[in-house]
Each structure stands twice: as C-alpha cells, then as structure tokens.
Amino acid sequence: MKVKVNSLFLEMELSEVDLHDVDEGGSPHRQMSVNLAGEAAFSETMTLVWNQTQCLKPKNFREEVRGPMDVSNFLSQSVPLLLDVHADRLPKIVDLMLEAILDDYEPEEAERISQEAKQTLFTDDSIQQFASTIQGTSIMDGGGVSLEQGWLLATGQLCTIQRRHVAIARLARPVNLEPAVSEAQFVILVLAPQKEKGTKNALETGRTFATLFADVDLRNALLRTSSTDEFKKLLLDYTQQLIHWRSGTRRVRNSLVHDISDLVATQWHFAAGIRSDLKRRWPHYLSDYVDGLTGQRTIQKVVSTILFLYFTCLLPAIAFGVLYGDITDQRIGVKKLIFSQAVGGMFFAVFGGQPLIILLSTAPLALYTKVIFTIAEEKEIDALAFYSCVGLWNAGFLAFYSVFNVCKIIQWSSRNTEEIFALFISIAFTVDSVLELHKNFDENYNSPACYGINITTSLIANLTNSTDVVDKCRRDNSLLSVALLLGTVWLSSTLYEFRKSPYLDANKREFLSDFALPVAVIFMSFVGSYLARDITLERFVPGNTSLFTIPDLQSLPAWAVFLAMALGFALSLLFFMDQNVSSAMVNSPKNNLQKGTSYHLDLAIVAAINGFLSVFGLAWVHAALPHSPLHLHSLADVDERVDQGHVYDMIVRVRETRLTGLVSHILIALSLLLVPMPLHFIPTPVLYGLFVFIALMSLNGNQLFERILLFVTEQVSTVFGYEYMSLSLEGKTCAGKVPKIL
C-alpha cells in the first residue's frame, strides 16, 4: 500500500522477509505481496517482496539551511553529471553512474564499493528494482494524486565509503524503468556513509535533490540544456529561488493568475473589473509580442499555430457565410463573414486582455439571425436595419455588464458547466456535418433519376416551384463527399496524434503534428478538385454584396426599436455565457498561464467590436469553443503522464502571445483577395470534415465525455477504486489516494 503526500514519497523494498516480522493483523502502512515464479509454491525461484511507503515533506530551503548548502557543495565539487545517456535498462544506467562516482578511487576499492552499492541499491540480484527510492506526486486533472513519471531518485547507505556522493543522469530518451516509473528522463543516485549523522544521511540528502527535481518546469528547462555548466547553473539558480520564495519548498504554479480568485477579488465599483484587468495585463503587453519570438521551438509553434488558426477560422467563416447567405438572401454572405472574422480577430488580438481567446461567428448566432430576419419579413420592416438595431442593443448590454462587473458571477460556474458547453458545441459541429452529408445524399444519391423514374425537368420544376432541379443520378458526388469528409478527419487526426507514435524522431513527429490540419485540408482539396475533377462537387458561392452597407436605422418604427431591445437583451445573455465560459476554459489553472485573467476587459472589447460590426450590417463574433482552448494547446508544451496504465497530457508551458491571433487574422483579411479563386477549390465536404475534426479534438480532456464512455467501456476483472482520505503518519497529516481492490 502506498501513502502519498504533498509532492514526495519514499518507497522501500526488502526481499526475502521473514513472515514472523509482520503483524498477524497487518499494519496499515505495510502490504505483503508474494510473487511466485514457477508452478511449485516453494520452488527456488520464489521470492517475497515487502513494499513500505511513507510520506516525505519537501525540504524547506529557507529554514533548513543544510539543503542549499548541500546543493552548492556537491555542484562545486564536480558532481557527476551524465547528459544524454543512451541506456534503457536500470542496471546499465546504475553501472554508468557508479563508474562516474568512483572514478577517483583505486580499481580494487572501486570494485568493492560498486558491489556493495549494487547490493544496497537493488532489491535482489534477480529483481532489478531499486530498494529505496524517492518520487514526486502531482495532482491529477479532476482530482486524485499520481506518481510523477519523469524522474526517479535512489538512495543507499554504504559501509565502505567515507563521504557522500551524488550522481545525476539525464537519459537521451524517456525510459520505462520500474512499474511506477514509465517515462523516466532523470535518474538521481545518492550514496552516504552508514554512520553519517541524521541531517547528512542518504535520506536527507535525497530529499534535498528530490525537492529540486519535483518541479516540472525545472525538469523541462534541464532537458533543454546543452552542457554540464548550463545544467549546474540552472540547479543553482533554482535553489536560490527556493530560498527567497516564502514557502521555501516548491514554486506555486499559476502564482500570477488564478482565474476564479481574480474575479472574487474584484470590487463592485463602477468599472472596477476593467481597471483591475488593465492593471493585471498591462505590464505583460510587450511580452505578449516578445514571447512569440523567443524560446526553444517557439518559432515552429507560432508558425504552425498561425496556419492552424488560419484554416480553423477561415473555413468555418466560409461555411457559415454560405448559411448566412441562405438565411439573409445574400445580404450577409461569405465575404462579409470573412471580413467580420478578420476585423474582429485583429482588433481583439491587439486590444483584448487574454490574446489566446479566438472570436468566431457560430451556429447559434446564425440561427438567431434567422429569427431576426424572419420577424422582420413578417412585420414588413427593413430586415438588415432591424438586424443592426438588435446588434447595437446587444453591444450596449455587453458594455453595461462589463462596467458593472457582472462577470463576477462566473465564479459560481463549475467545471461541469464548462464541459457541458464544450460537449454541446462538439455535438453541434458534428450534427451540422452529418446533416449536410444527409442533404447531399437526398439530392444526389437518392434522386428520382437513380431509380429509373422518368419525370421531366419541367414537371419537377412545376411541382417544386424551383428552377434548380437535379435531373441526373450523381451518386459519385455523394460517395466522393463521404470520402473527402472522412479522409479529412482521418488524415488530420492521424497527423495530429503522430507525436505519440514511435516513427521518425521527436522533432519530426512534433512538426507533423503541429501542421496536421493545414496538410489535411490542402491534400484533400487537391484530391477533390484535381484528382477527382470529373466529378462535380458542391462549392460555396461568395455573393456580390458590398462589404460596407450602412443600414437605414431611421426607417424602423418605434415599436421595432423596443422589440430589437428585447431581442438584443436575449442575445447579450448568449454572448455573455459563451464569452465567459470560453474565457474560463482558457484561464483554467490546469493550463498553467502566468499573465493573469481579463474577463471584464475582454467583454468590453467584444461589445465594441460587435457595435462596429452592427453599424455596417456585418456578422457578429464572440469567443468560440473549441477554437480558444485549441489555440492554447497549439502553443503549449505538453508532458505525458502515465497513471494506472492510462496516458494523459499535462500542460507544462504556454507561449502567451498576441502574434498568432494577429498574423492569422491578417492572412484571413488578405484572403478576401482569394475569393472566389483559389478558395473556390476547397470542396464543401472538406469544410465539414474540418468541423468534425475540431469537434473530436475538443473532446480531449473532457471528463464529462470520458465518463459517458464508461458506459461502453469494458471493465477489467480487477478494478482499482480510489478513496480520498487523510492518514496520520509520524504526527503529520498526509492526504493521499489509497488503492482498494473492488
């Protein structure tokens, strides 16, 4: 049984334990496990292993001066640092580390110490596992504690040495070392004399270095070092930071930003939220641009994210532009949608508080626009002017919410609310794609001509009151549409997940994953427009409406203005929820953002943007799901964790920059010059394949969706359930997660 606390725990294994040493009733801190390696119960290959785990508090570098002294002394004494070790087995790694430690000893003495060290470090000659280790723990997304997989520290006390030794090995690639360590990148070895005093024994020395390596940011920085001097400097700098931090143990992640606490701290004064957001975000404004140009792999990440945003914002704008054109009789069409997207995105990227948020026109807005135009046609008033009036009222209500700090109510929004919104949007994207495919089959695959029904074109036109009548059987069109849609989803998903495959090297896998969506869209468009050019596919119609058409608001009667106010108020509630839920998902503490939140300021900027768009009769935009979280993930460095056989991602660092949103929307604005050619070559099925891909990607990490999947997930015979409890250990409270066989 393992009891875990804070961020460190000690695990000890003793082999061939006498059964009489264990209490008959069993101890709450011990568990006997018998491993039988053979058919006979008492064969010579049978081994008993005793596992004992206890809590360790990370060392307080401010109060326990021995910690920083040890780090400084060991690093100044040329502690063995082995960088990029090409070994994938624990005995080989230990041999290399012992060889580096004992380099100054005489050969015979070094051999004797090496043999004793191996006997002490390993459980048994036949069981190549460390007998005494220290690992870190981390809080899992959604609760619970898991073992950190990136590092492992082993300790041993020897009779044949007179002073302490520490060796650190950085492995060339993640290695599976022990049952509890699946992706180790660092191995630390601590040896101490058996008669060393308590503050300098192997356990205390190991606790010192374990406190350093328990920080994931430090480990990722150490992975990027290219020399031992740079490696040592990072360790020393981090030690000094631990001394000066008030807690003295471990840096508190997200110390500059806590999405809910920022809202709670906001006072109910006029525009207090906006002033607080400006005070929080203004000091980082310049770094919002610099951070997009500096750092390892930053340029690649930024370029790939720009292309990702370009396609994920432009193609939905085209698809929704077609829908808006049908709803508004081309008074709001593809060009206006693209222009609205470009203007709103650029303005928000420059003036918005949280630049990782992406604005987009969405399906609910299209449906609301249909309601507005339907009412206007029934009441025989100017539909575009009525639409513009509703938009201006909406902008006014949003401005009111922002200056009177209404965003504070988002503090009562739970993760459930956010995930329900995200799941709803994913379902909406998928349903839209399926309905379009179903419509295509009705018009082409199931047309009367496909069943040999001889009905003249004129008769069909008279019956349907339509001049656009399909009088040919075009099943090839429907089948190609299915192939393009599924092909776009498959290719983009495969390339996106390529980083987890064993092929090529890490940099090439990351590169293909970053550019998954642009490659998939371009390739499938080439297939549909060139390789299958003999098959006529549906393509979007840009329309000829002028971009800047100022509606005649004076033509509206007074009752229409008040009706627009009611519709604007209802619309503002939709904007308020979508905007703030998207912001909450982006600013979630699990994303490890460092520059602070900006709920009130962002809502005010969205109000100003939509007020401008409404004046010219353009499409409205607001923060979009799942584009905003996907934008964040595109700029993030992700660390994989393994827990109970399941692999999940943890965001280590996010490049919080305005460049991606700004440049991508500049490219979208320039795309107006590409309408209709060459954007006309992108088939409609590729657009809806993009929708399905976005929907699938947004489900990653959605716990509500994962719990739904449990209804159709096979349950193994032995399931570990976790009870969260507090156990008293050595006079200190240890909150842990204790496995229980169900």
Side-chain angles (χ1 to χ4, degrees):
M1 184 175 69
K2 298 177 181 179
V3 182
K4 299 181 275 288
V5 65
N6 295 332
S7 61
L8 301 175
F9 74 87
L10 172 69
E11 181 176 345
M12 302 178 64
E13 297 182 359
L14 301 177
S15 62
E16 299 179 0
V17 178
D18 189 349
L19 292 178
H20 296 292
D21 293 339
V22 182
D23 295 340
E24 189 175 293
S27 170
H29 305 297
R30 299 180 181 179
Q31 176 183 353
M32 289 298 301
S33 60
V34 181
N35 300 327
L36 301 180
E39 296 181 359
F42 295 97
S43 65
E44 295 181 357
T45 59
M46 184 191 73
T47 304
L48 303 180
V49 178
W50 177 27
N51 296 327
Q52 182 181 14
T53 305
Q54 70 182 62
C55 298
L56 278 183
K57 270 195 80 116
K59 183 155 286 189
N60 190 319
F61 276 48
R62 183 166 184 168
E63 298 177 1
E64 301 178 68
V65 295
R66 172 57 62 184
M69 286 177 57
D70 283 345
V71 174
S72 178
N73 291 337
F74 280 113
L75 294 180
S76 63
Q77 295 171 7
S78 300
V79 59
L81 293 177
L82 287 71
L83 302 185
D84 300 328
V85 175
H86 292 275
D88 55 4
R89 296 185 64 83
L90 195 56
K92 178 63 176 176
I93 297 172
V94 172
D95 286 339
L96 293 174
M97 299 177 75
L98 288 176
E99 182 180 340
I101 289 175
L102 304 175
D103 185 54
D104 296 336
Y105 286 80
E106 295 294 329
E108 293 182 0
E109 186 180 8
E111 180 65 24
R112 185 171 65 256
I113 296 175
S114 178
Q115 291 299 325
E116 183 191 3
K118 292 178 183 178
Q119 292 176 1
T120 303
L121 291 171
F122 290 113
T123 302
D124 188 79
D125 292 338
S126 61
I127 304 177
Q128 298 295 325
Q129 295 182 12
F130 283 136
S132 179
T133 62
I134 301 178
Q135 276 183 267
T137 63
S138 59
I139 304 300
M140 294 176 59
D141 185 18
V145 184
S146 67
L147 299 179
E148 292 184 344
Q149 306 294 314
W151 63 283
L152 180 66
L153 188 147
T155 62
Q157 300 207 154
L158 311 181
C159 300
T160 54
I161 59 175
Q162 303 300 319
R163 60 187 178 89
R164 294 175 296 167
H165 295 278
V166 176
I168 301 173
R170 186 183 71 185
L171 307 183
R173 62 178 182 274
V175 175
N176 189 352
L177 294 181
E178 290 197 352
V181 187
S182 303
E183 298 287 333
Q185 295 175 295
F186 293 96
V187 178
I188 306 98
L189 194 60
V190 176
L191 302 177
Q194 223 171 34
K195 296 183 179 181
E196 190 66 83
K197 64 180 182 178
T199 58
K200 300 173 65 176
N201 61 20
L203 176 59
E204 287 300 312
T205 306
R207 192 162 69 98
T208 296
F209 283 89
T211 302
L212 297 177
F213 280 86
D215 190 280
V216 64
D217 290 334
L218 174 65
R219 295 200 305 272
N220 280 279
L222 293 175
L223 287 173
R224 295 191 291 267
T225 57
S226 56
S227 64
T228 56
D229 291 339
E230 189 178 354
F231 195 100
K232 290 180 180 180
K233 185 177 184 303
L234 271 177
L235 286 176
L236 289 173
D237 291 345
Y238 186 74
T239 301
Q240 293 302 313
Q241 293 178 21
L242 285 178
I243 295 173
H244 295 296
W245 282 325
R246 183 176 180 181
S247 64
T249 55
R250 185 174 181 175
R251 175 171 52 169
V252 178
R253 300 175 67 82
N254 300 323
S255 58
L256 297 177
V257 50
H258 303 281
D259 57 333
I260 299 301
S261 62
D262 287 342
L263 289 173
V264 174
T266 303
Q267 298 179 351
W268 289 97
H269 298 157
F270 180 81
I274 295 178
R275 293 197 300 269
S276 177
D277 291 342
L278 285 171
K279 183 178 180 181
R280 188 182 306 114
R281 292 293 310 192
W282 177 249
H284 304 289
Y285 189 79
L286 181 60
S287 69
D288 286 342
Y289 293 95
V290 176
D291 290 349
L293 301 172
T294 59
Q296 187 178 27
R297 297 181 58 251
T298 295
I299 298 299
Q300 176 185 324
K301 280 286 187 182
V302 168
V303 172
S304 65
T305 303
I306 289 172
L307 293 178
F308 173 82
L309 289 179
Y310 176 75
F311 283 99
T312 55
C313 293
L314 176 64
L315 299 187
I318 294 174
F320 286 127
V322 174
L323 180 60
Y324 268 90
D326 295 338
I327 292 172
T328 65
D329 194 21
Q330 298 302 325
R331 279 172 284 187
I332 302 177
V334 173
K335 286 187 176 181
K336 281 196 172 185
L337 256 292
I338 295 177
F339 184 78
S340 298
Q341 181 66 47
V343 171
M346 286 189 291
F347 194 88
F348 192 86
V350 175
F351 298 103
Q354 176 52 270
L356 297 178
I357 292 174
I358 297 299
L359 304 187
L360 201 70
S361 186
T362 60
L365 291 182
L367 295 177
Y368 206 90
T369 301
K370 182 178 181 180
V371 172
I372 293 172
F373 272 75
T374 301
I375 294 175
E377 291 172 359
E378 291 179 352
K379 301 298 182 181
E380 297 181 350
I381 58 177
D382 188 341
L384 194 61
F386 188 57
Y387 169 87
S388 177
C389 189
V390 172
L392 291 174
W393 277 114
N394 169 58
F397 283 117
L398 293 178
F400 176 85
Y401 300 154
S402 62
V403 297
F404 285 99
N405 314 313
V406 181
C407 292
K408 281 176 65 69
I409 67 174
I410 203 66
Q411 63 184 288
W412 291 293
S413 172
S414 65
R415 175 167 181 162
N416 251 359
T417 306
E418 300 169 9
E419 294 192 341
I420 289 172
F421 261 84
L423 186 59
F424 169 76
I425 297 300
S426 298
I427 294 174
F429 271 108
T430 306
V431 169
D432 284 345
S433 302
V434 173
L435 289 179
E436 285 297 321
L437 201 59
H438 182 267
K439 178 182 176 183
N440 182 289
F441 267 72
D442 280 344
E443 294 177 353
N444 299 311
Y445 196 89
N446 295 322
S447 67
C450 295
Y451 297 96
I453 300 176
N454 295 321
I455 302 178
T456 63
T457 302
S458 59
L459 177 59
I460 299 176
N462 291 332
L463 293 175
T464 60
N465 295 320
S466 173
T467 58
D468 185 16
V469 180
V470 178
D471 57 350
K472 295 182 180 179
C473 179
R474 299 192 299 175
R475 288 182 168 176
D476 53 351
N477 180 294
S478 299
L479 295 177
L480 180 59
S481 297
V482 173
L484 291 177
L485 188 149
L486 296 180
T488 302
V489 176
W490 173 80
L491 183 58
S492 54
S493 301
T494 301
L495 292 178
Y496 184 80
E497 298 292 335
F498 200 75
R499 60 162 60 96
K500 300 179 181 179
S501 72
Y503 305 110
L504 304 178
D505 57 48
N507 291 331
K508 293 184 177 66
R509 292 196 298 267
E510 190 74 19
F511 181 84
L512 288 174
S513 179
D514 289 340
F515 291 92
L517 187 60
V519 171
V521 171
I522 293 173
F523 179 78
M524 297 310 297
S525 298
F526 174 77
V527 171
S529 298
Y530 182 76
L531 297 183
R533 57 185 178 275
D534 294 335
I535 301 175
T536 303
L537 289 172
E538 182 183 356
R539 304 181 190 278
F540 70 90
V541 179
N544 298 317
T545 307
S546 174
L547 289 178
F548 300 98
T549 303
I550 300 179
D552 185 11
L553 294 174
Q554 295 180 351
S555 65
L556 295 176
W559 63 264
V561 175
F562 286 104
L563 179 58
M565 181 180 69
L567 292 173
F569 175 73
L571 181 62
S572 69
L573 298 180
L574 173 64
F575 266 74
F576 180 84
M577 289 304 299
D578 276 341
Q579 177 70 34
N580 286 289
V581 168
S582 299
S583 298
M585 294 188 70
V586 168
N587 292 307
S588 173
K590 70 175 183 178
N591 293 331
N592 193 25
L593 301 182
Q594 302 295 319
K595 296 182 180 180
T597 62
S598 181
Y599 288 90
H600 309 86
L601 176 61
D602 287 347
L603 190 62
I605 296 298
V606 169
I609 291 173
N610 284 278
F612 170 80
L613 296 177
S614 297
V615 169
F616 293 97
L618 299 170
W620 304 314
V621 293
H622 59 63
L625 291 175
H627 294 72
S628 299
L630 289 177
H631 179 207
L632 180 144
H633 282 274
S634 297
L635 290 169
D637 288 332
V638 179
D639 187 22
E640 287 188 353
R641 295 294 178 86
V642 181
D643 181 71
Q644 301 295 325
H646 298 281
V647 180
Y648 64 96
D649 295 334
M650 187 189 76
I651 293 178
V652 176
R653 179 173 72 100
V654 179
R655 298 161 181 85
E656 301 177 54
T657 178
R658 298 178 184 270
L659 291 179
T660 50
L662 179 60
V663 176
S664 62
H665 283 89
I666 291 175
L667 295 177
I668 291 173
L670 295 176
S671 297
L672 285 170
L673 304 176
L674 306 179
V675 176
M677 305 293 283
L679 291 180
H680 186 66
F681 286 111
I682 302 178
T684 302
V686 175
L687 299 181
Y688 291 103
L690 168 70
F691 282 9
V692 177
F693 168 74
I694 292 174
L696 293 177
M697 291 303 102
S698 67
L699 295 178
N700 289 337
N702 190 308
Q703 291 188 359
L704 177 61
F705 178 72
E706 292 172 355
R707 289 167 182 167
I708 294 174
L709 288 182
L710 291 178
F711 287 107
V712 293
T713 302
E714 179 185 6
Q715 301 299 313
V716 295
S717 57
T718 303
V719 182
F720 286 89
Y722 296 101
E723 294 180 347
Y724 296 88
M725 52 194 302
S726 295
L727 299 177
S728 178
L729 184 60
E730 296 182 1
K732 298 179 181 179
T733 300
C734 301
K737 181 174 68 173
V738 182
K740 180 183 71 173
I741 302 294
L742 296 181

